[in-house]
Amino acid sequence: MELKEFQDYLNSQRLKFTRPRNLIFKEIFSSKKVHPNAYEIHKRLKSKGHKVSLATIYRTLSLLVKSGLVSEIDFGESHSHYEPDVVKAAHGHLVCLSCGEVKEFSHERIRTILNKVGKESHFMMEKFSIQVFGYCRKCQKK
Amino acid sequence: MELKEFQDYLNSQRLKFTRPRNLIFKEIFSSKKVHPNAYEIHKRLKSKGHKVSLATIYRTLSLLVKSGLVSEIDFGESHSHYEPDVVKAAHGHLVCLSCGEVKEFSHERIRTILNKVGKESHFMMEKFSIQVFGYCRKCQKK
DNA sequence: TTTAATGCAAACATTTTGCACCCTG
DNA sequence: CAGGGTGCAAAATGTTTGCATTAAA
């Protein structure tokens, strides 16, 4: 399970594994199809009776991103969303411009192409991010 | 030239082609390799002796994006960047995590793949956005 | 002359930070 | 018990908006 990786990361940096960090981690990893933003994590924890401040959520998200366990993604809104970075395969998001629904897709060929593109420019690819904007099946009918 | 397209769009919406709009448009389209943010446009205009308020720049950018002449892009910073949407071919950005340099790449195959991916999900693709993060040639050497 | 556009400053939304107190290792 | 973590409130950042004034068409 990935929790151990988080603990290892914290240890390696001489940081502490605290109750709020545990809660935030579990909230992100428990439902992998959700791409919550900071405020949503805050709301979900509160509804379960845990009070963790927004500041701590932002601080922990920043740690998780640094550790490489979580990715920050942008859906064209004014805030960031977060997702577990456990999906090893190339994947992107289909974002509906009408209802906001987000669906994941994966395509190994994309990673291969991007890797090749990078090499041509002597660029060392670390990670990439693909968002496709358009209209989902439901919203097309309207 | 694209300026006419902007004027046509404004006419079609019964909006006015004003001096500030003209200046902002030209600033974005004059150097297509630059991906300025709102503040940079403001700075560039000011240095040329034109005073246009930031509010007007944001309002005009929003119009340009709606008209389809300009795209809003996210480089993982806390603000948006903008670029002319004249490049018809599929293209993305190589963003250096160390020095921030942005290089464009294009690959027609990516558009084809994304179109196919969309169809599989009954998703109607409108546009897409690809950012590749990593290290440019110079920064790798350090 | 009518209607939209502008600048300014205030409002907003999101994220970051300083600091006194608290908790983990 | 030492050093990092937390909550709170204040600050910082980027963007939007209300309103009185100015300028297109």
Side-chain angles (χ1 to χ4, degrees):
Chain A
M1 201 248 192
E2 299 95 348
L3 182 57
K4 179 135 192 0
E5 289 181 53
F6 186 33
Q7 293 176 316
D8 287 349
Y9 172 78
L10 292 173
N11 280 331
S12 76
Q13 307 293 322
R14 293 200 192 82
L15 302 175
K16 292 169 183 172
F17 182 63
T18 62
R19 183 179 150 72
R21 288 184 179 166
N22 189 9
L23 288 169
I24 294 164
F25 180 92
K26 286 194 293 188
E27 197 54 48
I28 296 176
F29 278 78
S30 62
S31 47
K32 299 191 176 169
K33 291 288 164 189
V34 182
H35 309 86
N37 57 36
Y39 181 72
E40 279 161 3
I41 295 171
H42 181 74
K43 212 168 49 183
R44 282 160 168 261
L45 288 176
K46 197 193 260 173
S47 78
K48 293 177 187 166
H50 305 297
K51 51 178 178 204
V52 178
S53 76
L54 253 183
T56 295
I57 289 171
Y58 279 109
R59 285 188 275 233
T60 303
L61 285 171
S62 151
L63 275 181
L64 285 166
V65 169
K66 269 187 224 146
S67 78
L69 289 164
V70 162
S71 290
E72 191 171 1
I73 37 180
D74 177 78
F75 292 150
E77 297 173 305
S78 52
H79 52 255
S80 295
H81 291 249
Y82 297 85
E83 69 173 0
D85 200 13
V86 285
V87 187
K88 300 299 181 203
H91 83 286
H93 301 97
L94 302 174
V95 183
C96 180
L97 291 168
S98 168
C99 69
E101 189 199 61
V102 176
K103 204 168 172 180
E104 292 188 357
F105 67 86
S106 77
H107 208 302
E108 195 46 47
R109 234 193 299 160
I110 291 172
R111 154 156 290 175
T112 313
I113 291 176
L114 290 179
N115 245 323
K116 203 171 128 197
V117 164
K119 269 190 197 127
E120 281 163 16
S121 297
H122 306 277
F123 189 87
M124 194 171 75
M125 176 165 96
E126 187 76 15
K127 58 183 179 175
F128 62 91
S129 146
I130 302 184
Q131 267 67 251
V132 179
F133 298 94
Y135 298 94
C136 71
R137 194 212 301 244
K138 271 176 256 156
C139 292
Q140 283 171 50
K141 288 181 187 162
K142 288 174 198 164
Chain B
M1 201 244 192
E2 299 95 347
L3 182 58
K4 177 133 193 0
E5 289 181 52
F6 186 33
Q7 292 176 317
D8 288 348
Y9 173 77
L10 291 173
N11 279 331
S12 76
Q13 305 295 325
R14 293 198 193 83
L15 302 176
K16 292 166 183 172
F17 181 62
T18 61
R19 183 179 150 72
R21 287 184 179 164
N22 189 7
L23 288 169
I24 294 164
F25 180 92
K26 286 195 293 189
E27 197 53 50
I28 297 176
F29 278 77
S30 61
S31 47
K32 298 191 175 168
K33 291 286 164 188
V34 181
H35 308 86
N37 57 37
Y39 181 70
E40 280 160 2
I41 295 170
H42 185 252
K43 213 168 49 184
R44 283 160 167 262
L45 288 176
K46 197 193 260 171
S47 78
K48 293 177 188 167
H50 305 298
K51 47 181 181 203
V52 178
S53 78
L54 251 183
T56 295
I57 290 171
Y58 278 111
R59 287 188 273 231
T60 302
L61 285 171
S62 152
L63 275 180
L64 285 167
V65 169
K66 268 187 226 145
S67 78
L69 289 165
V70 163
S71 290
E72 189 173 2
I73 38 179
D74 176 77
F75 292 149
E77 297 174 304
S78 50
H79 53 256
S80 295
H81 291 248
Y82 298 85
E83 67 173 3
D85 201 13
V86 284
V87 187
K88 301 297 183 206
H91 83 286
H93 301 96
L94 303 174
V95 183
C96 179
L97 292 167
S98 169
C99 69
E101 189 200 60
V102 176
K103 206 169 170 178
E104 292 189 355
F105 67 86
S106 77
H107 208 303
E108 195 45 48
R109 234 193 299 161
I110 291 172
R111 156 157 294 191
T112 313
I113 291 177
L114 291 179
N115 244 323
K116 203 172 129 195
V117 163
K119 269 190 197 130
E120 281 162 16
S121 296
H122 306 277
F123 188 88
M124 192 172 74
M125 178 165 93
E126 187 77 13
K127 58 184 179 172
F128 62 91
S129 146
I130 302 184
Q131 266 67 252
V132 179
F133 299 94
Y135 299 95
C136 71
R137 196 213 298 245
K138 274 176 254 156
C139 292
Q140 282 171 52
K141 288 183 186 161
K142 289 173 196 165

